[in-house]
Amino acid sequence: MEDTLELLQREWTKRNLAVEIAALEGNRIVIDPAVRKLRDYAVSTKNRRMFCLYATRAFYDRVPIKYKELIKLLNISRNALDTMIDECVSSEWVVFSEAKTKNDGEFTAAAILVLAYEHYANWLWQEWENTGTFMQSQSIIEIRDMLAHAKC
């Protein structure tokens, strides 16, 4: 049964790889021009993607992310962060809450960024379903449980 588990895990990895490749190849169709512009911006560099993801997480957590925290998390210069902030705030993808100083400013995703991420998450879900990744995951969990109970 352990051999079966190993084979299933390898097959799951292969299926997940197909989903990741599809995401990186841009196989997701975005019809809305405003969302497409946002998507193109977010995937153009790792730092832009991470900035958008951190702002989106701040929205879901209902805790805005601070300027200082973004500097640390992204490990970028203040100039680079300021550029991303200017681009995203002026495009209305990110909401900036001003404070006494810029260093104390806070950010969260605007509605369009949240919507774009939710569309992406729905696309991922569909890709995982289409590739059988979910079914494979359930099989792995069941075999792991059987192996764990067999050792008791």
Side-chain angles (χ1 to χ4, degrees):
M1 196 175 305
E2 289 179 9
D3 290 343
T4 302
L5 178 61
E6 189 175 317
L7 288 171
L8 286 171
Q9 288 173 325
R10 178 154 299 203
E11 182 62 26
W12 183 94
T13 301
K14 180 180 168 187
R15 291 171 190 229
N16 191 65
L17 179 62
V19 173
E20 288 199 46
I21 289 171
L24 291 172
E25 287 179 343
N27 290 349
R28 183 172 65 103
I29 297 170
V30 179
I31 297 170
D32 183 333
V35 175
R36 188 177 325 116
K37 182 178 176 185
L38 168 55
R39 189 248 352 238
D40 291 347
Y41 176 86
V43 300
S44 64
T45 71
K46 177 188 172 216
N47 286 334
R48 286 176 173 175
R49 178 153 174 75
M50 292 303 299
F51 176 77
C52 290
L53 290 173
Y54 288 136
T56 303
R57 182 172 65 187
F59 172 86
Y60 284 117
D61 291 347
R62 295 186 177 148
V63 178
I65 190 162
K66 296 186 180 298
Y67 183 91
K68 289 178 188 176
E69 188 177 357
L70 284 166
I71 288 284
K72 289 179 187 174
L73 289 170
L74 295 171
N75 193 28
I76 59 175
S77 69
R78 291 181 185 279
N79 286 343
L81 181 57
D82 289 345
T83 298
M84 280 192 281
I85 289 168
D86 291 344
E87 291 167 343
C88 291
V89 170
S90 68
S91 296
E92 299 181 349
W93 300 330
V94 171
V95 177
F96 173 59
S97 301
E98 293 193 37
K100 291 181 183 178
T101 67
K102 183 169 69 173
N103 286 342
D104 296 321
E106 298 177 331
F107 304 87
T108 191
I112 189 172
L113 180 51
V114 173
L115 179 68
Y117 186 76
E118 288 176 352
H119 286 173
Y120 172 70
N122 289 336
W123 176 83
L124 275 177
W125 181 277
Q126 190 63 51
E127 287 295 306
W128 283 323
E129 279 188 352
N130 292 344
T131 60
T133 307
F134 282 141
M135 287 188 332
Q136 197 82 27
S137 297
Q138 188 59 42
S139 298
I140 290 168
I141 291 167
E142 289 175 12
I143 290 177
R144 279 187 188 161
D145 288 348
M146 288 191 301
L147 286 171
H149 291 301
K151 292 179 181 178
C152 293

